[in-house]
Amino acid sequence: MSSWWRSRDMKYVSLIFSEDAAHECVHSLGRLGSIQFTDLNPEQTPFQRRYVGFIKRCLIQGPQLYYQRPRYDELERKLRFMGAEINAFGLKRSRASEAIQAELGVDARFVQILCTFFIVSPRSGATLLDSLEVHLERYEHQLLELKSCSIQLTAKYNEKIEYRECLEKGKVFFDTAVLLSDHDVSNPISKVTGASDPGEDGTQPLLADDRAAPGEIKRSVELDMKFSSVVGVLNMDEKMRFERMLFRSTRGNCLARFADVSRPITDAISGKAENKIVFIVFFKSEVIATIVNKICAAFGARQYPVPDHTAPGDTGRLDLIVHELSSELADAREVLLKNRELRLALCSRLMQHHAGWQMTIEREKAVYHALNLFRADVSGMLRAEGWIVASSEAEARTLIARSHAAMDLAGASMLATVPLPWPSPPTFYDTNDFTRAFQEFVDTYGVPRYKEINPAPFTAVTFPFLFGMMYGDIGHGTCILLFGLYLFLSDSVNSKDEMTRGIYTARYMLTMMGASAIYVGAVYNDCFSLALALFDSTYRWQGAQDGLSGRVASGVSANMTASYGTASNVYPFGVDPAWHVSENELLFFNSMKMKTAVIFGVVQMTLGILLKGINALYFGEYAVFFLEFLPMLVFDCCLFVYMVILIFAKWAIDWNQRQLMGTCTHNMTYDGRPCTSTALLKDKCALKYGGDSGGCAPPNLINQLINIALNPGAVDEPMYPGQGSTQSVLLAIAFLCVPTLLFGKPMYSYFEKHNAHDGAAGNSGEHSVSEEFIHQCIETIEFVLGMVSNTASYLRLWALSLAHSELAQVFWKKIILAAVGANNGIFVFASYSIFAVVTIAVLLAMDLLECFLHALRLHWVEFQNKFYKADGIRFAPFKVAVSRS
């Protein structure tokens, strides 16, 4: 917890390596993950760095320089290609964590492979990549050959499938044409296509003019009008455009027929299944034939030769072609399946090592990128600087010494702390699965300064609770809690979807939010907008038999079952369910939730001010402590903490007793003085606190708080003696805090600099003091006005809770109760379905997100701005790719 309260201690160190052992040293430090290197070569471009040749290889042959592809980019390209092939077969690649287990000796077979590829000896950085590149090159070549062969085989197999479909569908097309000609030989195509008579441009219809004699037409069709045809296969999506283009290009002088292919055909290149159609186009002219062929080429339609089996002597020719084609299809399918088996076997072998290879490449890239940050001041030696976690300094020194000793270079290394002054240290916190989500929650607003109090521990407690105050409902909170528990059982951390991984990271936060919503819902006694009578009510309605049971008339009052203030008069936990069915339900819950929101808001803001004082003492900023923190705390206590005290005082006072003390019974007051029924309350009240009520009537706290500033000293409805004078003194003290905040720190800085330099600073000193005064003026105005606006902002806890409960009530009354009242089973089932959908969409999705964002705003603006600077630098340690999740 202490490492989460303030950032870990950091040291700025200088490291000196032997160049021969630098790779192994950096690799060991990367596995430690506790050092952030500083770039010592900022003047160099990335292409001028010392180790750029290991990342982008250059080969020098004679006087000419040959530049090849980036080495790591090429290796990564090969791995991406292999990964795509593995995914194409639906194989699950082994995780990097399994590769690490193998590296640690879990699997002996894989250890042997890792000895070849992964284990890096001090002098084997480049050798490792050469060996890995050779193996990847061989596997890629095998995959490319098999894939190329698969594409060719698939293309030929698809052509045979399409050809068979064309033969089968073409037979149907020709049979249909024969039936049409036998039925009506006058002009079947003209009737279908609506061909016109010869025009002035010389265009003629497909068939002869139907005005000729029938015998002449029949002889013309049989002897002179033998049609040509084109048969092919086309994508189904192109059917309408293809048909339209044929009609417009040939001016209607063709007949096109289409038929769907019986099953989708897999594309040879993309591997996607495509729906296709078989088409046949009848025409007469050679000119039209040229047009049709061009249109087929433009649409990517493949044509196949289909004989007219209706011609004399060609009856059995089509069947023979289909038989031969079926035999070829069986052979092609067998070869294609064999190719697929070979590819699957190769991908299955690659699947086991893919994650490890990728981890190795990422690790080597990270090592050489880190080496590019070092400076070679002396030949054969490298110097580095960076931030290291203080607790890891000894371990880092041991790793460096061990790496050099393994190469017989003992004494050639050094790790020493750089003398002060240091640059601004980065901020680093130890986080785990539980704290990581809350830390990211805070870092999104801004990273804490080095050694500044981290708001995340407080956020982990207050954020779920404030969310629960806005979302308080037992039923809805249970749904969130169950969803959070489901995330614990699921394995979404390795999901490729960023949103899914983010939700999984926040599983602890969601679970706490659900638990808080359940707790606050139990306090509100609200479950899906219904009150739960878990205990016997402390109220009895006139006419009711047992507690809340029975029916009573509207307007009937309820009486307490025990005396005020006794234990029997207090409901065991939460709100008495009688309030949920009372006419003043909304007034009661509004008053309770509004006051509760103000109390928690003032407490959280006061906590923020206290944290500002703790920070000031920790950093030795005593001027901030005495001239900023103390005035802020006094201002807060005089106005806002006092307001909270008034709320608790009003809750604690027995107003029934006080109102009794202000009554006139038998012309006598409570303390025995004579009175009349027309006398004023302040005259009849026995307390004599002053004001209009004398202390015998409950006050309106909003009016009292407004009058503290607008009408000092005047209290119409006091709760204790001397309340007016007390509030005047508190207001005066609060007003005195404002000039202290405004002038205290600038004046202190002015006298401090004046005494230190004895006036030598001149205009520059006056300029710095004036800047500080302007800055302090802005901070004072922001604090004073912010305390008022921030307190009002916490009323969103009441507003969103009210909106949530009212929405739930509306859905319940208008959907479920209306359906139950209809006494129709089908209507009840349909209404319940609608209720479930609306509840999930509005209350469990939209309202959850709304309450989440408002709770986020309360922490970022109302709480953190009291003490949080949020201008720190995130610690980014160098880490090698030891896992890939």
Side-chain angles (χ1 to χ4, degrees):
M1 181 65 182
S2 60
S3 62
W4 203 31
W5 168 258
R6 295 190 188 274
S7 61
R8 296 282 296 275
D9 293 333
M10 309 295 294
K11 287 186 177 182
Y12 194 67
V13 296
S14 176
L15 303 93
I16 297 179
F17 307 124
S18 172
E19 190 169 4
D20 294 335
H23 181 279
E24 178 64 14
C25 289
V26 172
H27 175 257
S28 300
L29 293 175
R31 296 182 71 89
L32 180 62
S34 297
I35 186 169
Q36 175 182 332
F37 293 111
T38 304
D39 189 4
L40 300 182
N41 307 299
E43 72 282 355
Q44 294 182 353
T45 65
F47 297 97
Q48 297 173 337
R49 301 299 174 109
R50 185 178 184 86
Y51 290 93
V52 70
F54 286 86
I55 301 175
K56 295 186 175 182
R57 187 200 307 175
C58 295
L59 297 179
I60 302 177
Q61 298 181 1
Q64 188 176 7
L65 180 69
Y66 295 92
Y67 178 73
Q68 294 186 351
R69 279 182 62 94
R71 183 173 191 177
Y72 287 107
D73 291 347
E74 183 68 16
L75 294 178
E76 288 180 337
R77 182 197 63 78
K78 293 176 182 179
L79 282 179
R80 286 196 300 269
F81 168 68
M82 295 177 185
E85 291 298 307
I86 293 172
N87 293 333
F89 285 100
L91 300 176
K92 186 178 180 181
R93 284 176 280 178
S94 59
R95 301 177 186 174
S97 58
E98 298 173 3
I100 295 171
Q101 292 176 0
E103 185 176 355
L104 295 177
V106 177
D107 186 9
R109 180 174 174 271
F110 205 8
V111 166
Q112 185 178 1
I113 299 173
L114 287 167
C115 290
T116 305
F117 297 114
F118 300 156
I119 299 178
V120 185
S121 62
R123 296 182 176 88
S124 64
T127 306
L128 169 70
L129 296 180
D130 292 336
S131 177
L132 182 58
E133 189 172 14
V134 169
H135 283 78
L136 292 182
E137 184 73 28
R138 185 176 74 251
Y139 287 133
E140 184 192 28
H141 181 68
Q142 294 177 9
L143 271 179
L144 285 175
E145 285 186 350
L146 290 175
K147 186 174 183 180
S148 176
C149 183
S150 174
I151 291 176
Q152 296 177 8
L153 291 173
T154 304
K156 293 180 180 179
Y157 182 77
N158 290 344
E159 290 178 0
K160 296 181 185 300
I161 291 288
E162 293 176 355
Y163 190 21
R164 186 177 66 179
E165 292 288 336
C166 289
L167 292 174
E168 295 175 352
K169 301 299 187 299
K171 181 179 180 181
V172 177
F173 289 145
F174 285 116
D175 291 342
T176 304
V178 171
L179 291 175
L180 286 173
S181 61
D182 292 341
H183 179 72
D184 185 5
V185 298
S186 61
N187 195 350
I189 300 180
S190 295
K191 291 183 179 181
V192 175
T193 61
S196 60
D197 293 336
E200 296 180 357
D201 57 355
T203 304
Q204 297 182 0
L206 286 173
L207 297 180
D209 194 342
D210 57 0
R211 291 172 293 181
E216 296 177 0
I217 295 175
K218 185 173 182 180
R219 286 192 299 272
S220 177
V221 171
E222 293 177 352
L223 300 177
D224 300 331
M225 295 296 291
K226 182 65 177 179
F227 287 96
S228 301
S229 62
V230 171
V231 182
V233 177
L234 178 72
N235 284 337
M236 183 175 291
D237 298 337
E238 302 288 343
K239 176 183 176 182
M240 296 300 297
R241 295 175 58 243
F242 181 75
E243 190 173 13
R244 191 183 305 113
M245 183 63 71
L246 283 175
F247 182 81
R248 291 179 178 176
S249 300
T250 62
R251 299 186 180 181
N253 288 285
C254 69
L255 176 66
R257 287 291 181 265
F258 301 91
D260 295 340
V261 176
S262 57
R263 62 176 183 178
I265 298 177
T266 304
D267 185 74
I269 299 177
S270 65
K272 297 180 180 179
E274 298 178 347
N275 295 319
K276 296 191 175 184
I277 56 174
V278 176
F279 66 87
I280 183 169
V281 182
F282 295 99
F283 53 86
K284 178 61 180 173
S285 171
E286 291 293 333
V287 177
I288 297 179
T290 303
I291 294 174
V292 172
N293 290 332
K294 289 182 178 179
I295 293 175
C296 291
F299 280 86
R302 284 195 288 266
Q303 303 179 27
Y304 297 94
V306 178
D308 184 1
H309 70 286
T310 62
D314 290 341
T315 306
R317 182 181 174 189
L318 185 61
D319 295 335
L320 180 61
I321 295 176
V322 172
H323 178 72
E324 294 177 353
L325 191 60
S326 299
S327 178
E328 294 176 0
L329 274 173
D331 296 338
R333 178 177 177 80
E334 185 177 352
V335 175
L336 191 61
L337 290 176
K338 185 63 177 177
N339 176 273
R340 180 179 175 85
E341 290 177 1
L342 292 175
R343 291 172 60 205
L344 179 60
L346 181 58
C347 289
S348 298
R349 292 198 303 271
L350 296 177
M351 173 193 66
Q352 300 176 8
H353 315 313
H354 186 274
W357 289 337
Q358 195 161 8
M359 180 185 67
T360 301
I361 293 176
E362 290 181 357
R363 181 188 65 197
E364 293 302 309
K365 281 182 64 176
V367 168
Y368 284 113
H369 277 299
L371 288 173
N372 280 331
L373 303 177
F374 299 173
R375 179 181 289 274
D377 295 328
V378 180
S379 178
M381 304 296 291
L382 294 177
R383 180 174 61 88
E385 292 182 359
W387 292 99
I388 188 171
V389 180
S391 59
S392 302
E393 182 182 4
E395 186 177 359
R397 185 177 287 107
T398 302
L399 291 174
I400 295 173
R402 185 183 303 166
S403 300
H404 282 76
M407 301 184 65
D408 297 330
L409 296 172
S413 63
M414 184 187 71
L415 189 153
T417 304
V418 176
L420 296 174
W422 293 344
S424 298
T427 303
F428 173 65
Y429 299 101
D430 286 326
T431 58
N432 51 38
D433 290 342
F434 174 77
T435 61
R436 187 173 298 112
F438 295 102
Q439 190 61 54
E440 290 296 328
F441 183 96
V442 172
D443 290 347
T444 303
Y445 179 82
V447 179
R449 283 184 180 179
Y450 178 66
K451 289 299 181 180
E452 182 183 23
I453 290 178
N454 186 15
F458 305 97
T459 301
V461 178
T462 58
F463 177 80
F465 187 78
L466 293 185
F467 171 85
M469 290 184 65
M470 293 181 282
Y471 200 77
D473 189 285
I474 298 175
H476 300 147
T478 302
C479 295
I480 301 176
L481 178 63
L482 293 177
F483 178 68
L485 295 177
Y486 164 77
L487 291 178
F488 282 101
L489 302 177
S490 64
D491 187 16
S492 303
V493 66
N494 296 317
S495 174
K496 295 181 179 179
D497 186 12
E498 184 178 358
M499 180 176 293
T500 303
R501 292 198 306 270
I503 295 176
Y504 181 79
T505 304
R507 59 193 183 279
Y508 289 97
M509 181 185 292
L510 287 172
T511 304
M512 292 181 65
M513 288 162 55
S516 298
I518 293 174
Y519 171 77
V520 179
V523 173
Y524 295 161
N525 201 351
D526 205 351
C527 181
F528 293 116
S529 77
L530 300 177
L532 300 179
L534 301 177
F535 308 99
D536 189 20
S537 175
T538 59
Y539 290 90
R540 289 293 183 273
W541 302 95
Q542 295 180 7
Q545 303 262 336
D546 273 324
L548 297 177
S549 63
R551 292 183 176 272
V552 295
S554 177
V556 174
S557 60
N559 299 318
M560 292 185 293
T561 58
S563 302
Y564 183 86
T566 60
S568 302
N569 183 250
V570 180
Y571 194 71
F573 184 82
V575 176
D576 194 309
W579 287 105
H580 285 271
V581 294
S582 61
E583 292 183 353
N584 58 342
E585 172 196 5
L586 194 59
L587 293 175
F588 170 78
F589 278 100
N590 279 347
S591 176
M592 182 191 71
K593 293 180 179 180
M594 187 185 302
K595 292 182 176 66
T596 306
V598 170
I599 292 171
F600 279 98
V602 172
V603 169
Q604 190 175 36
M605 290 190 297
T606 305
L607 174 62
I609 297 174
L610 292 174
L611 294 178
K612 181 182 180 69
I614 297 174
N615 273 335
L617 291 176
Y618 182 85
F619 291 111
E621 299 174 344
Y622 298 106
V624 174
F625 182 84
F626 290 104
L627 300 177
E628 283 190 3
F629 162 68
L630 288 181
M632 287 181 178
L633 183 63
V634 172
F635 182 87
D636 174 53
C637 293
C638 290
L639 296 180
F640 300 97
V641 175
Y642 175 73
M643 174 177 61
V644 173
I645 294 174
L646 290 182
I647 293 175
F648 280 105
K650 184 177 179 180
W651 283 345
I653 294 174
D654 184 359
W655 292 106
N656 291 332
Q657 177 66 24
R658 285 206 175 187
Q659 287 178 335
L660 179 62
M661 297 173 69
T663 58
C664 183
T665 305
H666 303 295
N667 294 328
M668 296 293 292
T669 62
Y670 183 81
D671 55 353
R673 293 179 292 107
C675 64
T676 61
S677 58
T678 58
L680 298 176
L681 179 59
K682 62 180 180 180
D683 297 329
K684 294 184 291 183
C685 183
L687 296 176
K688 302 298 181 180
Y689 290 165
D692 295 336
S693 65
C696 291
N700 187 324
L701 291 181
I702 296 179
N703 292 335
Q704 280 200 3
L705 296 175
I706 293 175
N707 289 333
I708 290 177
L710 299 183
N711 192 8
V715 181
D716 296 333
E717 299 168 334
M719 289 189 289
Y720 63 89
Q723 182 175 350
S725 58
T726 302
Q727 292 179 173
S728 298
V729 172
L730 293 176
L731 182 64
I733 296 174
F735 272 125
L736 290 176
C737 292
V738 176
T740 306
L741 278 172
L742 184 60
F743 300 107
K745 190 177 177 181
M747 295 296 294
Y748 174 82
S749 300
Y750 172 77
F751 287 113
E752 185 181 33
K753 292 180 179 179
H754 181 76
N755 295 333
H757 300 285
D758 197 16
N763 293 332
S764 61
E766 295 178 1
H767 181 67
S768 62
V769 172
S770 63
E771 285 184 351
E772 187 170 354
F773 175 76
I774 294 173
H775 175 74
Q776 192 67 23
C777 181
I778 295 173
E779 281 201 355
T780 302
I781 296 174
E782 181 181 2
F783 171 77
V784 173
L785 298 182
M787 286 297 295
V788 179
S789 63
N790 292 346
T791 304
S793 181
Y794 276 97
L795 292 177
R796 70 185 70 236
L797 298 173
W798 152 65
L800 268 73
S801 176
L802 176 65
H804 183 88
S805 60
E806 292 300 314
L807 275 175
Q809 285 187 18
V810 169
F811 294 156
W812 176 262
K813 292 179 180 179
K814 300 299 182 182
I815 299 177
I816 297 299
L817 293 185
V820 173
N823 199 19
N824 187 321
I826 299 177
F827 187 45
V828 169
F829 178 79
S831 298
Y832 175 77
S833 302
I834 296 174
F835 175 77
V837 171
V838 172
T839 299
I840 293 173
V842 178
L843 296 178
L844 293 180
M846 295 174 57
D847 197 46
L848 183 145
L849 180 60
E850 182 183 16
C851 294
F852 180 92
L853 293 177
H854 280 283
L856 180 68
R857 197 257 188 200
L858 288 176
H859 283 78
W860 280 1
V861 179
E862 275 70 30
F863 172 58
Q864 293 179 181
N865 71 345
K866 300 296 184 296
F867 69 99
Y868 189 44
K869 300 300 182 182
D871 56 356
I873 304 171
R874 186 194 294 265
F875 181 59
F878 167 69
K879 294 182 179 180
V880 296
V882 296
S883 65
R884 184 177 182 82
S885 31

